[in-house]
Amino acid sequence: MFKSMLVVLLVMIGFSTQAAVILQYHHVSASTPAITSVTPAQFREQMQYLAEHDFIVKPLSQVVHAIKNHQEIAPKTVVITFDDGYRSIAKTAHPILKEYGFPYTLFVSIEPIKAKYHEMMNWDELMALAKEGAEIANHSWGHEHLIRKLEGESQVQWLERIEDNILKTEAEITLVTGQNHKMLAYPYGEYNQAIESMLERNGFIGLGQQSGAAGHFSSLTALPRFPVAGVYADLESLKVKLDSLNMPVLSQNISDPELAKGHWRPELKVTLDISDIYPHQMMCYVQGQGAKAPLWLSGNEFSIRAELDLPVGRSRYNCTVPSKSKAGYYWFSQAWVRSLGDNF
């Protein structure tokens, strides 16, 4: 009852149009794989665009605090995040960010640091960035596929192992940096409902790799981010995403990304507050299968379902719809993971 009253209140006071766009980067380099990279020239162009068009770049921790506490999020708020802690961030991205005075968050795993992988920053390098304002946050101990069970591992054993992994990583980050943000970026964007519940129990928030603006209608254990790399590194494409709005989702029938065995064409039903949207203009996309118009089940509930089986691995349903009052699109994305065998 309290939750439903809170949602109504947020709609009434306009939180449906308040959101932060969280950007996800990996490499900033011209010599690393394009699928996870932006070039230095592209990165500078993007940061210059943010500065010249009056975007407000905030630390992730501040945006999370605002969402948690139902506080106002200023229009044109953007968050910059980097996964993995590659050395190109310190060498190339940091000087550009410093030039513009933009804060950012680094999600790091401990094992690559300890193993001294050549492309990864070490603790000294990370500490130097932290002293200049970078947030250092959790990306698991060894960048594992968190939803995968080990051979012969029970559900209870698996979840205990993952919980220990995340808590041990957070403790190491706190020990070295003094920072304790309790923010986890899921490696590969993979998570499930059991992991979300574990994070919530331990006071963590979680960030995925499904697209969309993050706001008061987002789950704090599955905050969306826009990956910026490869075909998604183009500034013209990014401009549309920077103006995206937090889809006013009131409820959905499925939120767990991990598909049950044999359920490879999930039917997603979503209920929206439609006061600021044009329902007939909504369009959805099934990754790998193209555009698909939603089926409206009532005035404010629609469904979307893949025509073909979703492939093994990760995929998404994306839906967008223009705002009546704002110059932007509401954006919603549901991540899916189809297992390979019984242990994936």
Side-chain angles (χ1 to χ4, degrees):
M1 176 65 72
F2 174 77
K3 183 177 181 181
S4 62
M5 290 175 61
L6 178 60
V7 166
V8 171
L9 177 62
L10 293 175
V11 171
M12 290 175 60
I13 62 180
F15 275 120
S16 62
T17 58
Q18 296 184 7
V21 171
I22 306 175
L23 303 179
Q24 178 209 15
Y25 294 91
H26 286 85
H27 301 275
V28 179
S29 171
S31 60
T32 48
I35 194 170
T36 54
S37 304
V38 294
T39 67
Q42 286 174 323
F43 189 72
R44 174 170 287 281
E45 180 185 39
Q46 292 162 7
M47 296 305 105
Q48 183 176 345
Y49 180 83
L50 295 179
E52 291 180 349
H53 291 80
D54 301 319
F55 284 89
I56 303 168
V57 181
K58 290 282 190 179
L60 177 59
S61 61
Q62 288 187 17
V63 168
V64 167
H65 180 81
I67 296 174
K68 276 184 176 180
N69 294 280
H70 316 294
Q71 296 173 349
E72 183 174 354
I73 299 173
K76 303 185 77 169
T77 295
V78 172
V79 174
I80 298 169
T81 68
F82 298 91
D83 284 9
D84 304 333
Y86 289 107
R87 189 161 275 126
S88 67
I89 307 310
K91 180 181 177 182
T92 306
H94 177 76
I96 297 172
L97 291 163
K98 186 176 180 180
E99 179 182 333
Y100 287 105
F102 290 165
Y104 61 95
T105 301
L106 288 162
F107 289 101
V108 300
S109 297
I110 307 303
E111 189 174 279
I113 298 173
K114 289 183 175 292
K116 300 181 180 180
Y117 291 169
H118 175 68
E119 289 189 345
M120 300 295 185
M121 283 183 276
N122 57 39
W123 277 125
D124 288 341
E125 291 167 307
L126 287 166
M127 281 300 298
L129 300 183
K131 287 177 181 177
E132 295 198 43
E135 294 182 339
I136 311 299
N138 198 318
H139 204 33
S140 82
W141 187 266
H143 203 278
E144 297 87 353
H145 291 268
L146 297 180
I147 67 171
R148 294 187 184 183
K149 293 184 177 69
L150 302 178
E151 185 72 30
E153 193 173 43
S154 69
Q155 176 77 5
V156 171
Q157 291 169 330
W158 159 76
L159 191 56
E160 287 178 347
R161 176 173 59 83
I162 298 306
E163 183 172 26
D164 179 68
N165 179 313
I166 302 309
L167 295 180
K168 185 171 67 170
T169 303
E170 193 71 20
E172 186 77 6
I173 291 171
T174 302
L175 177 66
V176 177
T177 70
Q179 299 189 26
N180 181 214
H181 297 292
K182 288 193 170 183
M183 301 185 301
L184 170 71
Y186 299 116
Y188 311 102
E190 294 179 359
Y191 62 96
N192 59 24
Q193 206 160 57
I195 293 175
E196 288 188 84
S197 297
M198 180 272 290
L199 289 189
E200 186 174 15
R201 187 171 66 251
N202 284 285
F204 279 74
I205 67 104
L207 296 98
Q209 295 182 20
Q210 76 278 13
S211 53
H216 298 87
F217 289 94
S218 302
S219 167
L220 281 165
T221 52
L223 292 175
R225 294 187 291 171
F226 283 107
V228 188
V231 296
Y232 302 114
D234 176 72
L235 180 58
E236 292 306 309
S237 171
L238 188 59
K239 288 177 183 179
V240 176
K241 297 169 184 175
L242 289 169
D243 289 330
S244 64
L245 305 167
N246 186 212
M247 186 77 82
V249 175
L250 303 179
S251 65
Q252 58 189 90
N253 67 323
I254 307 171
S255 59
D256 191 342
E258 188 172 20
L259 297 173
K261 190 172 184 179
H263 294 264
W264 309 140
R265 303 181 192 183
E267 182 183 16
L268 180 65
K269 299 178 182 180
V270 182
T271 302
L272 302 176
D273 166 56
I274 61 167
S275 58
D276 190 50
I277 72 171
Y278 295 104
H280 64 284
Q281 293 188 35
M282 177 175 283
M283 182 55 68
C284 297
Y285 302 84
V286 177
Q287 187 172 350
Q289 299 181 32
K292 183 177 175 64
L295 173 65
W296 285 94
L297 305 174
S298 69
N300 67 340
E301 183 187 25
F302 71 89
S303 73
I304 181 72
R305 184 176 188 178
E307 295 288 343
L308 306 172
D309 288 356
L310 295 180
V312 169
R314 300 177 294 276
S315 54
R316 291 179 290 180
Y317 290 172
N318 290 338
C319 296
T320 61
V321 64
S323 165
K324 291 180 179 178
S325 63
K326 305 287 183 181
Y329 280 75
Y330 289 101
W331 198 304
F332 169 77
S333 180
Q334 173 62 47
W336 305 113
V337 184
R338 175 178 167 179
S339 300
L340 173 64
D342 293 333
N343 291 320
F344 173 33

